[in-house]
Amino acid sequence: MGGDFSAPRLLLAYRSGIFPWTDDPITWWSPDPRAILELDRFHVSESLARVIRKGVFAITIDRAFRQVVEGCAAPAAGREHTWISRNFIEAYTRLHKKGHAHSVECWMGKQLIGGIYGVSIGGFFAGESMFHRASNSSKVALYHLTRHLRDRGFVLFDIQLATPITRQLGAITIPREKYLCRLAAAVEMGCTFLPQSKGLNR
């Protein structure tokens, strides 16, 4: 417990296998076991594959980071409150401006209808949260994120805790000791999420 949401402290926490969960008080967590998505084992169901093939949604990267975080924080059916407070939004927006936090956005026309954001260090990416306003939009964003990370040479995609949805998509859990070993190697890699963190259309 304690500390602050400064960029140096957040980056040190992620490098150490720790992430913040609440801000009043500030608490830090390192669950055992830890949930991850292996980048070469993302499971695409037949229905999701059809949506991807049809190109129902337009995908961008780092085009609307703050909007994605705010979308994740907004109330939704079955979720009246989230842990993403105003302090979290400001803290991760600062990380984004410094090139350490990134988003994948899902659009229908000019409307943002889904997305995911997280923190990038070396060959490590920590997925923080995702949201959807149309069926399958967050899954499509996650699919494109895993492809992007794989193409950029990333080796560890941390999702912290598995959910029924992420398990359907291939999430597994590993012992914290094994996770920390993989993390230590990943953060020392020379990967970058995007050259100059420019948004790209796919």
Side-chain angles (χ1 to χ4, degrees):
M1 295 178 65
D4 56 42
F5 286 159
S6 66
R9 189 181 296 272
L10 283 170
L11 293 174
L12 176 61
Y14 282 101
R15 283 181 168 272
S16 305
I18 302 167
F19 58 88
W21 197 311
T22 64
D23 71 342
D24 188 21
I26 294 177
T27 58
W28 305 86
W29 297 75
S30 181
D32 188 10
R34 190 69 163 248
I36 64 170
L37 273 169
E38 298 286 20
L39 295 173
D40 59 350
R41 300 180 192 171
F42 187 84
H43 175 68
V44 180
S45 66
E46 291 184 9
S47 59
L48 181 58
R50 283 195 298 271
V51 173
I52 294 168
R53 282 197 303 269
K54 290 179 180 179
V56 175
F57 308 118
I59 303 298
T60 58
I61 295 176
D62 277 359
R63 187 66 56 83
F65 178 86
R66 188 182 181 99
Q67 289 173 258
V68 169
V69 182
E70 290 174 342
C72 293
R79 187 193 69 195
E80 302 306 318
H81 303 283
T82 74
W83 50 270
I84 304 173
S85 67
R86 181 59 51 184
N87 287 336
F88 274 95
I89 295 172
E90 297 300 333
Y92 285 86
T93 299
R94 289 193 296 270
L95 275 185
H96 172 64
K97 290 178 179 178
K98 292 179 178 292
H100 293 294
H102 304 277
S103 59
V104 174
E105 302 92 18
C106 213
W107 304 85
M108 186 172 286
K110 295 183 178 180
Q111 184 179 5
L112 180 68
I113 47 80
I116 182 171
Y117 78 96
V119 176
S120 167
I121 306 173
F124 161 75
F125 189 86
E128 282 296 308
S129 188
M130 61 185 185
F131 81 101
H132 69 277
R133 295 177 183 144
S135 180
N136 286 313
S137 59
S138 60
K139 293 179 183 178
V140 170
L142 185 57
Y143 164 79
H144 281 281
L145 174 58
T146 57
R147 284 188 61 199
H148 179 78
L149 294 175
R150 187 186 61 201
D151 292 346
R152 299 293 297 171
F154 281 66
V155 296
L156 182 58
F157 185 4
D158 169 33
I159 58 170
Q160 302 171 355
L161 299 170
T163 66
I165 290 176
T166 57
R167 286 190 184 278
Q168 290 174 10
L169 298 171
I172 62 170
T173 56
I174 60 175
R176 181 167 56 200
E177 183 177 356
K178 182 176 181 180
Y179 170 81
L180 292 175
C181 288
R182 291 183 60 174
L183 174 66
V187 297
E188 296 303 321
M189 296 176 65
C191 305
T192 56
F193 189 86
L194 274 183
Q196 302 178 351
S197 297
K198 291 181 180 179
L200 296 179
N201 285 313
R202 283 193 182 275

